[in-house]
């Protein structure tokens, strides 16, 4: 399986022909890409034979780990039976139907919200575009077309298409291409470490941060607001975990003004926070739930929206064509792989493992990093974690962003055999949900080594004592 790769040739073809996502093309051409050639369990290897522990599950998606034959077999079988057919013209296919029924059974009913219907896409971004279309259609059908505005959050991430990037609150993305598109606006994120005031408890801050939603609704006029979209825990923003008081207060506010609630669970669903769907953990009642990534553990592209009864009943009962969909909506191979992936997750009880076993163990081990001189905060939620690199932890003092301390640490990680992501000076992990306790220990040893190496560099540069 390990075919030798001519690294220099692949790197030169890469430079000449492949424009990578979220990449400074000029800078990358100067350095050359790392060529990843194979993977097994929680490890990936590059073309030089360098082994890396993948603490990011690819890009938050390989929940069942690499090399699962069950998923490959499901794809092969489905390709030989029916590799493709569309679901546009009153046709359907078996895996797409089976998956929709299965997902609907996995999504818990809460407070009168049930999820009997699924709208398919191939990615998280497309799914959020579908959300915008569906939300607007819903209010049109109810005779309130002026309810158009969708509120997202600063530093939220909802994808990279025009609508996805607009719903997200990444200023660097908005700066390119005149975003956000009209009728999308943002409120602040519930990030206590940075935004909590002196003397304020996390619970008080959670209520205050949720209150920004009510302030925004009142400023815009409630009759203009269609929906609020948020990630249960912000992923790409740096694993920002809201205080416990935040989500119940958000629920109270959307209920008060009749606004739809969209839970973007592209990262948080399928076991990542110890449940099939994250809204269950945080105790709120969304109307639409975005999913992608973990539904197939990233083995093949698939995404979609779980459509709650409040929206589905209006779309279905009022009738009229919904003029929206994709060539690959309900792709039979992607859906077959998703079914095999859910089989593995169910058989190995991965959400339960995260909730009761490896999640608590990771929480305990990760918290120990708080003692490291460079770490201002270390926290986890389920099987994702974030730590803040701080110049003076007692004072919550940040490094000069120009120093690129997160990137410095990330460089040490790669060198020492660990894949961690840097979001500014927050180092984040979201490992595969199949990790053993021993592998968690191995990861923690690697993280400590990377932090130590970063500290040595910063001391040499006179940035730390
Ligand atoms: N919503 C959320 C919450 C996401 O995390 C998307 C939507 C978009 O999904 P697609 O499949 O269109 O990429 C995501 C994707 C990072 C990173 O650097 C995170 C994502 C994608 C790429 C990079 O952390 N999340």
């Amino acid at each position: 399986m390990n075919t030798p790769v001519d690294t220099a040739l692949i790197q030169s073809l890469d430079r000449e022909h492949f424009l990578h996502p979220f990449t400074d093309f000029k800078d990358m051409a100067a350095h050359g890409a790392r060529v990843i050639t194979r993977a097994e369990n929680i490890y990936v290897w590059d073309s030089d034979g360098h082994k890396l522990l993948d603490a990011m599950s690819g890009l938050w998606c390989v929940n069942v780990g690499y090399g699962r034959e069950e998923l490959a077999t499901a794809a092969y079988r489905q390709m030989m039976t029916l590799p493709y057919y569309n679901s546009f013209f009153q046709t359907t296919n078996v895996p797409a139907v089976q998956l929709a029924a299965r997902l609907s059974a996995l999504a818990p009913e809460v407070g009168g919200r049930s999820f009997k219907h699924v709208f398919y896409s191939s990615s998280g971004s497309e799914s959020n575009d579908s959300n915008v279309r569906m939300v607007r259609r819903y209010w049109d059908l109810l005779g309130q077309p002026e309810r158009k505005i969708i509120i997202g959050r600063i530093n939220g991430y909802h994808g990279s298409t025009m609508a996805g990037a607009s719903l997200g609150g990444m200023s660097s993305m908005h700066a390119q291409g005149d975003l956000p598109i009209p009728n999308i606006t943002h409120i602040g994120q519930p990030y206590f470490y940075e935004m909590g005031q002196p003397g304020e408890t996390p619970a008080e801050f959670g209520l205050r941060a949720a209150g920004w939603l009510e302030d925004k609704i009142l400023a815009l006029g409630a009759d203009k607001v269609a929906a609020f979209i948020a990630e249960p825990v912000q992923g790409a923003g740096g694993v920002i975990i809201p205080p416990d008081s935040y989500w119940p207060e958000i629920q109270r506010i959307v209920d008060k003004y009749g606004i739809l609630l969209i839970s973007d669970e592209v990262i948080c669903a399928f076991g990542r926070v110890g449940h099939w769907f994250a809204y269950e953990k945080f105790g709120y009642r969304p109307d639409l739930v975005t999913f992608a990534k973990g539904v197939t553990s990233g083995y093949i592209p698939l995404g979609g929206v779980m459509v709650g009864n409040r929206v589905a009943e209006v779309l279905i009962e009022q009738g009229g064509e919904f003029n929206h969909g994709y060539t690959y909506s309900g792709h039979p191979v992607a859906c077959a792989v998703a079914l095999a992936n859910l089989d593995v997750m169910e058989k190995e009880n991965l959400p339960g493992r995260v909730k009761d076993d490896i999640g608590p163990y990771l929480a305990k081990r990760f918290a120990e990093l708080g003692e490291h001189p460079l770490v201002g905060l270390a926290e986890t939620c389920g099987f994702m974690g974030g730590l803040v690199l701080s110049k003076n932890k007692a004072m919550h003092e940040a490094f000069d962003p120009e120093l690129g301390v997160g990137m410095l640490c990330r460089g040490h990680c790669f060198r020492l055999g660990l894949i961690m992501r840097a979001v500014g000076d927050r180092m984040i992990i979201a490992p595969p949900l199949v990790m053993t306790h021993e592998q968690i220990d191995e990861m923690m040893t690697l993280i400590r080594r990377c932090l130590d190496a970063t500290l040595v560099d910063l001391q040499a540069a006179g940035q730390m004592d």
Side-chain angles (χ1 to χ4, degrees):
M1 294 293 276
N2 196 13
T3 321
V5 170
D6 182 338
T7 305
L9 174 65
I10 295 296
Q11 283 180 330
S12 111
L13 291 173
D14 182 81
R15 190 176 291 121
E16 282 166 38
H17 302 293
F18 186 1
L19 294 179
H20 292 240
F22 282 90
T23 294
D24 177 336
F25 307 128
K26 189 171 176 185
D27 176 69
M28 177 136 133
H31 294 98
R34 182 185 297 269
V35 185
I36 303 297
T37 50
R38 72 184 178 96
E40 184 61 38
N41 184 231
I42 63 162
Y43 305 99
V44 302
W45 282 263
D46 70 16
S47 54
D48 297 328
H50 189 54
K51 178 182 176 186
L52 297 150
L53 187 157
D54 182 8
M56 275 310 297
S57 304
L59 209 41
W60 318 85
C61 50
V62 189
N63 291 11
V64 297
Y66 298 96
R68 306 301 296 239
E69 210 170 321
E70 303 92 321
L71 276 65
T73 305
Y76 176 79
R77 288 207 178 122
Q78 187 58 43
M79 281 190 186
M80 296 307 289
T81 311
L82 179 73
Y84 175 76
Y85 201 74
N86 72 70
S87 47
F88 274 53
F89 312 115
Q90 308 200 347
T91 56
T92 194
N93 69 75
V94 176
V97 174
Q98 288 176 331
L99 180 63
R102 181 99 171 253
L103 290 172
S104 131
L106 287 175
E109 181 169 342
V110 278
R113 298 282 200 288
S114 61
F115 295 90
K116 295 278 165 267
H117 296 88
V118 178
F119 190 91
Y120 287 115
S121 73
S122 300
S123 69
S125 302
E126 285 180 358
S127 304
N128 282 325
D129 278 48
S130 297
N131 275 328
V132 174
R133 304 291 310 275
M134 226 176 300
V135 161
R136 299 226 167 119
R137 173 86 178 141
Y138 169 83
W139 288 114
D140 280 353
L141 286 170
L142 287 182
Q144 298 181 58
E146 66 287 355
R147 278 213 192 233
K148 279 204 194 331
I149 301 174
I150 303 180
I151 302 172
R153 298 186 302 191
I154 293 163
N155 201 36
Y157 189 82
H158 300 295
S160 191
T161 51
M162 294 294 277
S166 297
L167 294 168
M170 300 287 182
S171 51
S172 57
M173 291 172 78
H174 291 173
Q176 293 177 355
D178 253 347
L179 301 179
I181 57 173
N183 290 311
I184 292 178
T185 185
H186 302 84
I187 60 168
Q189 57 177 333
Y191 187 12
F192 178 68
Y193 179 82
E194 267 194 0
M195 303 169 83
Q197 284 171 352
E200 192 176 34
T201 65
E204 287 162 353
F205 171 74
L207 294 179
R208 183 161 68 86
W212 298 330
L213 177 60
E214 189 157 23
D215 297 344
K216 184 64 102 177
I217 292 167
L218 293 173
L220 294 165
D223 56 348
K224 302 270 189 310
V225 180
F228 174 61
I229 183 167
E231 301 153 84
V233 173
Q234 284 152 262
V239 185
I240 311 292
I241 306 164
D244 289 344
S245 58
Y246 182 75
W247 273 113
E249 181 66 1
I250 290 287
Q251 183 70 58
R252 187 192 68 76
I253 294 166
V254 293
D255 285 349
K256 181 171 171 190
Y257 298 100
I259 287 160
L260 292 171
L261 178 56
I262 310 172
S263 184
D264 184 343
E265 306 206 0
V266 164
I267 286 175
C268 291
F270 303 108
R272 178 60 60 197
V273 300
H275 295 264
W276 287 103
F277 290 95
Y279 65 84
E280 189 184 15
K281 177 181 170 72
F282 293 99
Y284 57 92
R285 303 183 297 280
D287 297 294
L288 297 158
V289 179
T290 320
F291 66 89
K293 296 190 189 274
V295 68
T296 58
S297 285
Y299 278 56
I300 196 163
L302 180 68
V305 181
M306 304 294 302
V307 184
N309 50 343
R310 175 178 171 195
V311 173
E313 279 161 18
V314 171
L315 296 183
I316 295 165
E317 281 165 21
Q318 303 255 355
E321 186 168 323
F322 181 42
N323 299 316
H324 174 71
Y326 309 103
T327 302
Y328 299 132
S329 290
H331 193 289
V333 178
C335 293
V337 172
L339 285 163
N341 178 58
L342 296 180
D343 284 345
V344 171
M345 293 194 74
E346 233 162 38
K347 203 161 64 200
E348 299 177 9
N349 184 26
L350 295 185
R353 251 190 117 228
V354 168
K355 184 159 172 278
D356 300 322
D357 178 9
I358 56 169
Y361 186 63
L362 177 71
K364 174 173 156 292
R365 296 294 331 266
F366 207 73
E368 291 164 16
L369 293 173
E371 295 150 20
H372 194 280
L374 200 50
V375 175
L377 170 81
E379 55 179 353
T380 65
C381 177
F383 223 48
M384 61 208 291
L387 61 83
V388 178
L389 302 174
S390 177
K391 188 171 167 70
N392 179 335
K393 53 202 286 177
M395 306 301 293
H396 284 202
E397 191 186 344
F399 288 102
D400 177 353
E402 293 293 309
L403 290 172
V405 174
M407 293 304 276
L408 177 70
C409 182
R410 195 186 76 164
H412 283 302
C413 292
F414 270 122
R415 189 175 57 75
L416 294 167
L418 173 70
I419 299 178
M420 263 216 282
R421 231 168 94 30
V423 179
D425 290 346
R426 257 184 102 89
M427 302 305 298
I428 59 178
I429 58 162
L433 312 185
V434 292
M435 256 193 173
T436 61
H437 285 228
E438 292 70 31
Q439 287 172 328
I440 292 174
D441 293 341
E442 181 189 339
M443 175 176 73
M444 297 312 302
T445 305
L446 284 168
I447 293 176
R448 269 187 191 278
R449 268 189 215 147
C450 299
L451 292 171
D452 290 345
T454 309
L455 179 60
V456 168
D457 283 355
L458 290 169
Q459 285 166 335
Q463 292 294 328
M464 295 275 295
D465 298 332

